[in-house]
Amino acid sequence: MKVNIQEIEPYEADGVMYHADTCLPLIDAYNRRKIKFKALARHTYPGDRLDDNTLGLNSIGYWDANEPQDWGLDWHRNEGIEFHFLESGTMPYSQENKEVVLTPNHLTITRPWEAHKVGNPNIGMGKFYWVILDLGVRRPHQDWVWPDWITLTESDLGQLTTFLRQNGQSILKTDQRMRDCFKRINLAVNSDENGSNASKIRLLVNYVLILILDLLKTQNIELNESLIDSSRSVQYFLKELDKKLSEDWTIERMSKSAGVGLTRFTHHCKQLTNLTPMRYLTMRRLEMSKKILLENEKLTVGDVAYSCGFTTSQYFSTVFKKHEKCSPNAYRKLHKYNTSLTAYPEI
């Protein structure tokens, strides 16, 4: 199979661009013949191309690892809801704050905003499937829009959506029916040529959803409406912000990235942090700058300022001195002096 990666326009929601995961470690492992791999995909996902008969399905496929592996998929998010299924073997899997080892017949549910990784750090030996469906959402409070070829009744689809949105359950132990369904997915993916199995794949994805709904109905699901509150979307944004402090943030851009209106974003930010959004941003940038000052002594104050998102070194120094009661260089020298005293205590 030719691993075909397409360059596409990223997904845009509320003025924010989102890019699909490219699964580069998986591609590398396949190219090195460490695993068997087959997928049908669109966007930047690897695999043979899906056609327009399955719009909304972004990737469906499997890998089969029958020898020890030296790679894993590090923390990432998908632009759709993802279902993993392990047919055989074991697989280290982490989602948010949960770390588990999946065993045969385990199915995972990963919402678009949930960070997850496969491997600890390397994947296990096993046959591992996935289905990724784009529901047009990136944040917890946004309404889900299923592909129009999903044929569950309005009532069943509504119940499934509520179960998936209003509870945090992410790992299910399934039965032989789910196992047989993914084996049929295996056959459909393997034999597809330019969309020839689109009808089968649509049918099988629908059946996966029906089986998940049946399984969730047997669980003691406790629904929690706070999981779909816009404050949770703001909370996820604030967690992600630490990795993007150097970007040119405005309060308008921050609220758009969180997917909520400006007034509501400001309210939630104040509730969650006791700070206004821009004040919170400044404080996080200062914390980052202090760490860089101490860990990278060769960087100039200007370099540190720009790497933390401050527009000028002068503004950075002014803000830093106001909060730390000393200049950035003085802070660096003082810490170096204190460290030397600790390293050579008096006898």
Side-chain angles (χ1 to χ4, degrees), residues 8 34 41 48 94 98 105 111 120 138 144 150 166 191 211-213 250 271 305 316 320 344:
I8 63 156
K34 294 289 291 183
D48 297 327
S94 301
K98 304 171 187 174
N105 289 349
R111 290 84 176 168
N120 188 26
R138 301 299 181 267
W144 290 18
I150 298 299
Q166 296 186 33
S191 60
L211 293 176
I212 292 173
L213 176 59
T250 63
Q271 289 288 317
F316 166 60
F320 192 96
Y344 302 100

Side-chain angles (χ1 to χ4, degrees), residues 8 13 57 72 172 274:
I8 63 156
L57 177 64
L172 301 172
N274 200 36

Side-chain angles (χ1 to χ4, degrees), residues 111-305:
R111 290 84 176 168
W113 49 86
E114 292 176 322
H116 58 288
K117 68 175 181 176
V118 186
N120 188 26
N122 301 330
I123 70 164
M125 290 187 286
K127 192 166 187 178
F128 197 53
Y129 296 85
W130 62 88
V131 176
I132 302 176
L133 288 168
D134 192 340
L135 306 178
V137 300
R138 301 299 181 267
R139 298 294 183 187
H141 73 284
Q142 296 170 328
D143 292 332
W144 290 18
V145 180
W146 294 86
D148 58 11
W149 47 267
I150 298 299
T151 58
L152 278 69
T153 65
E154 182 178 350
S155 175
D156 282 346
L157 193 57
Q159 188 174 27
L160 176 63
T161 303
T162 299
F163 281 156
L164 294 176
R165 292 187 69 197
Q166 296 186 33
N167 88 94
Q169 193 162 356
S170 58
I171 299 175
L172 301 172
K173 193 69 172 180
T174 65
D175 56 23
Q176 188 64 39
R177 293 181 303 162
M178 188 71 78
R179 186 183 185 88
D180 290 342
C181 183
F182 274 96
K183 285 186 173 182
R184 291 170 65 187
I185 286 175
N186 187 134
L187 295 174
V189 169
N190 279 344
S191 60
D192 183 84
E193 295 183 8
N194 300 318
S196 61
N197 284 341
S199 294
K200 292 180 182 178
I201 289 168
R202 284 164 52 155
L203 180 64
L204 290 167
V205 171
N206 273 281
Y207 191 41
V208 167
L209 297 179
I210 291 170
L211 293 176
I212 292 173
L213 176 59
D214 285 348
L215 189 57
L216 290 173
K217 285 180 179 179
T218 67
Q219 312 287 311
N220 294 320
I221 299 294
E222 293 186 7
L223 300 180
N224 182 356
E225 289 191 6
S226 68
L227 295 180
I228 60 173
D229 189 83
S230 55
S231 64
R232 191 160 177 252
S233 295
V234 174
Q235 189 173 24
Y236 270 104
F237 167 76
L238 294 177
K239 286 172 62 178
E240 298 166 3
L241 185 61
D242 278 354
K243 299 178 181 179
K244 303 177 180 179
L245 291 173
S246 63
E247 295 186 17
D248 184 21
W249 290 108
T250 63
I251 189 171
E252 291 81 8
R253 184 167 175 237
M254 292 168 76
S255 67
K256 286 181 178 180
S257 185
V260 299
L262 182 58
T263 301
R264 187 178 293 269
F265 174 76
T266 302
H267 169 76
H268 288 319
C269 185
K270 188 71 182 293
Q271 289 288 317
L272 292 166
T273 69
N274 200 36
L275 300 170
T276 64
M278 297 310 292
R279 173 77 170 169
Y280 178 80
L281 175 63
T282 298
M283 297 305 293
R284 297 310 302 158
R285 283 173 168 171
L286 283 173
E287 288 302 309
M288 181 182 181
S289 73
K290 290 191 289 184
K291 184 177 181 181
I292 294 176
L293 281 167
L294 300 180
E295 293 181 353
N296 300 273
E297 294 186 5
K298 293 183 179 180
L299 291 181
T300 67
V301 170
D303 291 335
V304 175

Side-chain angles (χ1 to χ4, degrees), residues 2-19:
K2 180 180 179 182
V3 177
N4 184 10
I5 305 175
Q6 299 285 325
E7 291 293 334
I8 63 156
E9 290 296 320
Y11 177 90
E12 181 176 359
D14 299 315
V16 181
M17 294 296 183
Y18 298 86
H19 299 267

Side-chain angles (χ1 to χ4, degrees), residues 301-318:
V301 170
D303 291 335
V304 175
Y306 299 136
S307 66
C308 296
F310 291 96
T311 52
T312 67
S313 59
Q314 291 84 358
Y315 176 65
F316 166 60
S317 296
T318 299

Side-chain angles (χ1 to χ4, degrees), residues 22-61:
T22 54
C23 304
L24 292 178
L26 170 59
I27 298 170
D28 177 65
Y30 172 75
N31 288 335
R32 292 187 291 120
R33 299 183 179 179
K34 294 289 291 183
I35 58 168
K36 297 177 181 177
F37 163 74
K38 179 72 176 182
L40 304 175
R42 68 182 81 248
H43 306 334
T44 56
Y45 288 103
D48 297 327
R49 296 298 91 187
L50 286 163
D51 66 16
D52 289 348
N53 289 304
T54 51
L55 287 176
L57 177 64
N58 283 354
S59 183
I60 184 169

